Amino acid sequence: MLNVNSENHALSNTVAVIPAYNEERFIASVVFLTKQYAATVIVVDDGSTDHTAYLAEEAGAHVITIEHGGKAAALSAGFNYAMNLNPLVVVTLDGDAQHDPADIPLVAAPILDGSADVVVGSRFLNRQSQIPAWRQVGQHALTYVTNTVSGVSLTDSQSGFRAFSPHALRNLRLRSEHLSVESEMQFEIRTHALKVCEVGISVQYLDKMKRNPIRHGLQVLDTILGIISRKHPLLVFALPGVLLACIGLTTEWVVLRTIDVRHILLMGHAIYGGFLLLAGLVLVITGVILHSLESIVARIRQEVATNPRHASASDSSSSLQGGSSL
């Protein structure tokens, strides 16, 4: 258990990042409460049209404004700013008062004791909150899909209440454009072999949902498919290409066999088989090229990570770009 001095040390080295879009109703109270558990509170205003940025700043937060970059861009900008403060742990939570800042020490603890690189605050682990049934169905469905394809098992893949070690933030590369950044993180956790764990948190829903849950679910699935195609191009492109090419070859063999035996040209079958064969070859070539490019990128990242001079240059470049690569 942490003593008082270690708790104060942890507090002084804890940074909270809050992405926000049109959250003027709650953002000031969220910042005030969060400041009790984090030395620095960073609010990333994602192009709000209300008074979110003003109220956050008045409440004592450092405000970064971006222009509708999406949650991944907001988190990346916040992470880059936070890393300049040399924190021991960076915590993220939502700006709609859904999360209780009093849970920050609980979420941050596994980072501080070195047992995890990423901690996810789960709404469904030892659940203490009333969660609407329709939310549970949607979240469990997205969690099942994300767990299955990422290879990282969590009980709440969509939770925005998380804690990160500096090591984790130096490795995360977030590219998603919608509210699917949490699913993307699971792939990054697997790619970089980061240690992840979950702790149970409480939540409350004080405002109506701002986005269509069906649209949100489809965006998450679209992101997952995009990540799979990028990380496993041989599976997504080459394997279906081989299957199509085999069907095309089989069809062309039937056409040639028919010509030999019955002296009849099955024109439709010939065109169909040729199309499948060509499409299959294109997919195979695409898969091989993308796989080669992904391997080259992975090798470059590994070399940069093992070379401190290059790593520092890379971090400086990322900061100048406003965090678009974190």
Side-chain angles (χ1 to χ4, degrees), residues 65-79:
T65 300
I66 63 175
E67 295 297 329
H68 299 295
K71 190 173 184 179
L75 287 176
S76 295
F79 289 159

Side-chain angles (χ1 to χ4, degrees), residues 145-153 183 186-187 190-191 224 228:
V145 174
T146 304
N147 289 351
T148 301
V149 298
S150 71
V152 176
S153 181
S183 289
Q186 281 185 232
F187 289 88
R190 174 66 179 272
T191 297
I224 290 174
I228 295 174

Side-chain angles (χ1 to χ4, degrees), residues 33-317:
L33 293 173
T34 302
K35 287 179 65 178
Q36 299 181 37
Y37 305 97
T40 305
V41 179
I42 302 167
V43 171
V44 185
D45 177 30
D46 188 17
S48 297
T49 57
D50 61 8
H51 299 94
T52 294
Y54 170 76
L55 293 172
E57 190 169 23
E58 288 296 304
H62 297 269
V63 177
I64 302 171
T65 300
I66 63 175
E67 295 297 329
H68 299 295
K71 190 173 184 179
L75 287 176
S76 295
F79 289 159
N80 275 339
Y81 190 103
M83 288 294 282
N84 291 328
L85 304 176
N86 298 315
L88 291 177
V89 57
V90 176
V91 177
T92 63
L93 63 159
D94 292 345
D96 59 0
Q98 175 186 151
H99 302 132
D100 184 358
D103 286 333
I104 288 177
L106 180 66
V107 177
I111 303 293
L112 295 172
D113 65 25
S115 61
D117 298 307
V118 179
V119 181
V120 178
S122 173
R123 292 164 287 185
F124 306 110
L125 188 65
N126 303 321
R127 192 176 73 219
Q128 305 174 14
S129 309
Q130 294 294 325
I131 303 174
W134 65 270
R135 283 183 180 269
Q136 294 187 48
V137 172
Q139 298 297 342
H140 285 312
L142 292 176
T143 294
Y144 175 79
V145 174
T146 304
N147 289 351
T148 301
V149 298
S150 71
V152 176
S153 181
L154 297 174
T155 62
D156 190 358
S157 69
Q158 304 305 302
S159 173
F161 200 168
R162 302 185 175 213
F164 304 87
S165 69
H167 170 68
L169 294 184
R170 283 191 290 267
N171 284 278
L172 290 178
R173 299 291 183 271
L174 306 178
R175 303 182 179 92
S176 59
E177 297 180 357
H178 305 293
L179 293 167
S180 49
V181 62
E182 285 83 11
S183 289
E184 184 180 16
M185 285 183 186
Q186 281 185 232
F187 289 88
E188 290 292 292
I189 288 170
R190 174 66 179 272
T191 297
H192 301 289
L194 300 175
K195 294 180 293 183
V196 61
C197 71
E198 291 182 287
V199 297
I201 60 169
S202 59
V203 294
Q204 58 180 348
Y205 298 100
L206 302 178
D207 205 0
K208 63 181 181 179
M209 199 166 187
K210 296 179 180 179
R211 53 191 177 273
N212 187 302
I214 296 178
R215 181 181 179 184
H216 171 59
L218 292 176
Q219 288 175 344
V220 173
L221 292 177
D222 178 66
T223 296
I224 290 174
L225 290 175
I227 294 172
I228 295 174
S229 64
R230 187 174 69 245
K231 292 185 176 294
H232 305 286
L234 292 180
L235 176 64
V236 176
F237 294 102
L239 181 58
V242 169
L243 294 176
L244 286 178
C246 289
I247 295 174
L249 284 173
T250 301
T251 303
E252 293 299 329
W253 181 84
V254 170
V255 171
L256 293 176
R257 182 65 178 171
T258 302
I259 292 175
D260 182 54
V261 175
R262 300 172 55 190
H263 305 291
I264 298 175
L265 174 60
L266 302 176
M267 182 63 69
H269 286 71
I271 296 175
Y272 176 71
F275 173 78
L276 291 179
L277 179 58
L278 179 61
L281 291 175
V282 170
L283 286 176
V284 170
I285 294 172
T286 300
V288 170
I289 293 175
L290 291 177
H291 176 72
S292 299
L293 291 175
E294 183 66 22
S295 299
I296 293 172
V297 171
R299 193 178 306 117
I300 293 174
R301 286 179 179 172
Q302 185 177 9
E303 291 178 357
V304 170
T306 56
N307 189 316
R309 182 184 301 175
H310 289 169
S312 298
S314 176
D315 289 342
S316 299
S317 175

